[in-house]
Amino acid sequence: MGGAKAAKAARREARELAARTLFWHGGIGGLQSGEHILAPVDTGSLLSVAGHVAEARADRVYLATDRELARVFASIITDATGRSAVYQVQPIGPIGVDLDFPACSHQARRALIVAVEEVDVQLSETERLQRTAPYLFWDDGRPMYDADGRIQVTWQ
């Protein structure tokens, strides 16, 4: 019984987070407001961020609270297909933390497009690194990059 109450409380907390948070998704272009973004496994799409980022799950849609991080992933899709978009989205159903970017990214089975924010995003590798560096940490919790963008040597 305690487990059921905890699960119910977790679901309620996730709904409240989703209601008060702006989320962005960087992905394949061509969708419109009011459409759903589905996980690659649900669309049969072989081209997805999961195809470019080994850690991504094909049964999840990734949602960033940092718009610039969503732009990074849209730019990866632009490189692969020539067509991408950054969407403002609202998750549908339970959401979880993305373990790769726990400070600013979540995952859900699908999301509703609220607005198309930007299309065909292009970023250089340096620009991508500048946007992801604040969220990258070594296993011991230290940042991988300093404030000037220089990599910090690990103890290993």
Side-chain angles (χ1 to χ4, degrees), residues 97-154:
V97 173
D98 173 6
L99 298 178
D100 292 322
F101 296 98
C104 63
S105 184
H106 295 78
Q107 54 181 312
R109 285 292 297 201
R110 61 187 175 136
L112 174 68
I113 298 173
V114 176
V116 180
E117 294 282 321
E118 184 178 358
V119 297
D120 302 335
V121 179
Q122 295 182 331
L123 297 174
S124 68
E125 286 298 322
T126 300
E127 291 170 320
R128 289 177 189 169
L129 182 57
Q130 289 170 335
R131 286 158 175 78
T132 58
Y135 305 110
L136 301 176
F137 296 89
W138 294 114
D139 290 342
D140 63 4
R142 291 180 305 110
M144 284 187 182
Y145 298 90
D146 68 13
D148 295 324
R150 288 187 292 266
I151 194 160
Q152 301 298 292
V153 178
T154 175

Side-chain angles (χ1 to χ4, degrees), residues 51-107:
H52 302 282
V53 180
E55 298 83 13
R57 291 178 53 178
D59 65 339
R60 294 290 183 259
V61 171
Y62 288 87
L63 317 168
T65 56
D66 180 344
R67 186 177 184 274
E68 289 301 311
L69 187 62
R71 292 184 75 233
V72 168
F73 289 99
S75 74
I76 292 169
I77 297 297
T78 299
D79 287 353
T81 69
R83 187 174 186 195
S84 73
V86 173
Y87 303 101
Q88 183 182 348
V89 297
Q90 187 66 41
I92 297 174
I95 61 174
V97 173
D98 173 6
L99 298 178
D100 292 322
F101 296 98
C104 63
S105 184
H106 295 78
Q107 54 181 312

